Amino acid sequence: MACATNAISLSLSSNPNSKLSSDFIPKLNRPVNVSLRASTSAELDPGRLFLSRPIGLSRRICANATPVMDQSVGERSSSVPTIVEVDLGNRSYPIYIGSGLLDQHELLQKHVHGKKVLVVTNTTIAPLYLDKVVDALTKGNPNVSVENVILPDGEKYKNMETLMKVFDKAIESRLDRRCTFVALGGGVIGDMCGFAAAAFLRGVNFIQIPTTVMAQVDSSVGGKTGINHPLGKNLIGAFYQPQCVLIDTDTLNTLPDRELASGLAEVIKYGLIRDAEFFEWQEKNMEKLMARDPDAFAYAIKRSCENKAEVVSLDEKESGLRATLNLGHTFGHAIETGFGYGEWLHGEAVAAGTVMAVDMSYRLGWIDSSIMKRVNDILQRAKLPTAPPETMTVEMFKSVMAVDKKVADGLLRLILLKGPLGNCVFTGEYDRKALDDTLSAFCKS
């Protein structure tokens, strides 16, 4: 049965004449409080959500210079954060973005409301940043006690058994409903800590401190939490929003090259589905991103968070619009599940899945070949795979995709590109032959 969803058009306060040059990498040394405003017009379209923007409308989100913290007269700090607000009414929260933010203790402390904190991290991140986070939580704040639980690192540990270690520590530490959980790590830690916070005592506060590109530009924002099941990725979880997201860009200095590239898959996604101008900027600046240019990365994180925050503000529970953020994920999750959790990083699987979704969009006649070429080119420049592992078969894809979260009444809905760059649809209305042809083209059997 087809579902009825709203067709949404976004109108953003911006300068329609603004352009991004290849050298336009804003210095994020001024505090800005990003205000997200959008108007929606709804038109029922059975079974399909189509997203487009008026031609010529700049997709820049308006930023107003607003002090974040008190500064001494004449003092100027390069570490004053940019703030992107996720607008969810009385559950709204800030995303702080900047260098050296873990040294600014008041940022974290003002979001801890009780006297007990549990930091959830892993064996890789703990030696690097746990002491710094504990110091940030307790410096000048002697009434707060901090416990920690250090989990094994990797996607293959994102399961119920590992999650129980968080509950064990929380219960042993006699944490109460005024406690705060802190997720210190990448997407796996953020997802598990958030889910634990949602379930422990039926809900306690939590804070996200993402330390990977993937988590900073995507998974830490929006309140998706959960764990994997052997039959499918992220099938067990909850929507549960954090008190804040603190992105200290200095944590990327210790990130391995492979992890860094993996996160860029999500950055590229935003440009493809809704922000063509950002995609064009990425094409001109990919080498700077791969070289870890701090200004380029700060801008890419900021703009990604703006895109994510806007979508979450409009569709928190993924009734339609938010699903478009999953471009390439249905194919990608099938790769992760079928090939084995942790064998490929999430972004690597999403990259290959994106190429497959774009290929299918082309077979349907919804995009031209130039978009296919640009997608392949930018992913290759980011050192990301453009095809699934050779061991993946058509049957493996189909069996895993059949239990995907976007299946409704037995109908597999997909996010596909349609029209000019920056436009997409979330739909179950497509020729099944195109899906079969795409799977056959990328699989040996």
Side-chain angles (χ1 to χ4, degrees), residues 213-219 233 260-273 278 282 300 303-305 307-308 324-329 333 336 346-351 354 379 382 384:
V213 176
M214 175 68 64
Q216 291 181 358
V217 303
D218 186 68
S219 64
K233 185 176 168 70
L260 183 135
S262 173
L264 291 176
E266 299 286 1
V267 176
I268 292 166
K269 167 196 73 181
Y270 292 117
L272 291 174
I273 63 171
F278 186 29
Q282 294 167 32
R303 185 124 175 189
S304 296
C305 286
N307 274 290
K308 181 71 176 280
T324 63
L325 296 174
N326 290 310
L327 175 71
H329 285 58
H333 287 171
E336 290 183 88
H346 176 63
E348 293 170 339
V350 167
T354 296
L379 290 172
L384 288 166

Side-chain angles (χ1 to χ4, degrees), residues 75-329:
E75 180 183 355
R76 187 181 183 191
S77 172
S78 62
S79 59
V80 174
T82 293
I83 300 180
V84 176
E85 189 78 13
V86 181
D87 183 6
L88 292 170
N90 61 5
R91 292 176 300 109
S92 298
Y93 57 91
I95 307 166
Y96 302 110
I97 307 168
S99 170
L101 299 192
L102 288 177
D103 295 320
Q104 298 181 27
H105 311 124
E106 61 271 39
L107 283 180
L108 275 181
Q109 290 182 15
K110 69 182 179 181
H111 294 285
V112 175
H113 305 303
K115 295 182 178 180
K116 294 184 177 181
V117 177
L118 176 63
V119 179
V120 182
T121 188
N122 64 34
T123 53
T124 300
I125 296 300
L128 299 172
Y129 301 112
L130 179 56
D131 288 346
K132 183 181 281 284
V133 169
V134 172
D135 185 57
L137 290 164
T138 58
K139 188 170 184 178
N141 197 19
N143 293 326
V144 169
S145 64
V146 181
E147 302 286 346
N148 69 77
V149 57
I150 300 174
L151 305 177
D153 186 15
E155 186 79 30
K156 65 182 178 180
Y157 299 109
K158 188 180 172 182
N159 54 36
M160 190 65 74
E161 180 183 357
T162 307
L163 185 69
M164 284 298 156
K165 298 180 187 297
V166 181
F167 294 131
D168 291 346
K169 185 66 177 181
I171 296 168
E172 290 166 3
S173 302
R174 299 186 179 181
L175 301 188
D176 57 32
R177 281 181 169 166
R178 284 184 55 77
C179 75
T180 299
F181 285 14
V182 174
L184 174 63
V188 171
I189 287 295
D191 282 7
M192 286 201 296
C193 179
F195 189 31
F200 182 64
L201 302 179
R202 296 191 175 96
V204 298
N205 291 340
F206 90 105
I207 291 169
Q208 289 269 19
I209 306 179
T211 60
T212 66
V213 176
M214 175 68 64
Q216 291 181 358
V217 303
D218 186 68
S219 64
S220 68
V221 178
K224 278 189 176 182
T225 72
I227 57 175
N228 299 330
H229 187 277
L231 297 179
K233 185 176 168 70
N234 293 334
L235 294 181
I236 304 166
F239 289 99
Y240 196 69
Q241 302 296 339
Q243 299 298 300
C244 74
V245 178
L246 188 143
I247 299 173
D248 188 334
T249 55
D250 291 352
T251 59
L252 299 183
N253 294 336
T254 56
L255 191 67
D257 289 342
R258 184 184 174 194
E259 289 272 4
L260 183 135
S262 173
L264 291 176
E266 299 286 1
V267 176
I268 292 166
K269 167 196 73 181
Y270 292 117
L272 291 174
I273 63 171
R274 67 190 319 269
D275 196 345
E277 198 173 48
F278 186 29
F279 185 84
E280 291 163 1
W281 178 89
Q282 294 167 32
E283 289 181 309
K284 296 172 183 176
N285 289 278
M286 184 53 68
E287 279 63 43
K288 290 182 179 179
L289 292 172
M290 295 299 289
R292 300 171 184 255
D293 181 282
D295 293 322
F297 247 110
Y299 178 69
I301 293 167
K302 169 180 172 286
R303 185 124 175 189
S304 296
C305 286
E306 288 171 347
N307 274 290
K308 181 71 176 280
E310 182 184 7
V311 171
V312 171
S313 297
L314 292 169
D315 179 22
E316 179 186 4
K317 299 293 182 68
E318 200 169 282
S319 60
L321 173 63
R322 185 170 179 176
T324 63
L325 296 174
N326 290 310
L327 175 71
H329 285 58

Side-chain angles (χ1 to χ4, degrees), residues 336-368:
E336 290 183 88
T337 304
F339 195 46
Y341 293 131
E343 294 300 318
W344 273 24
L345 297 178
H346 176 63
E348 293 170 339
V350 167
T354 296
V355 174
M356 296 177 75
V358 171
D359 177 88
M360 182 174 166
S361 302
Y362 177 71
R363 291 177 188 275
L364 289 166
W366 291 355
I367 59 171
D368 62 45

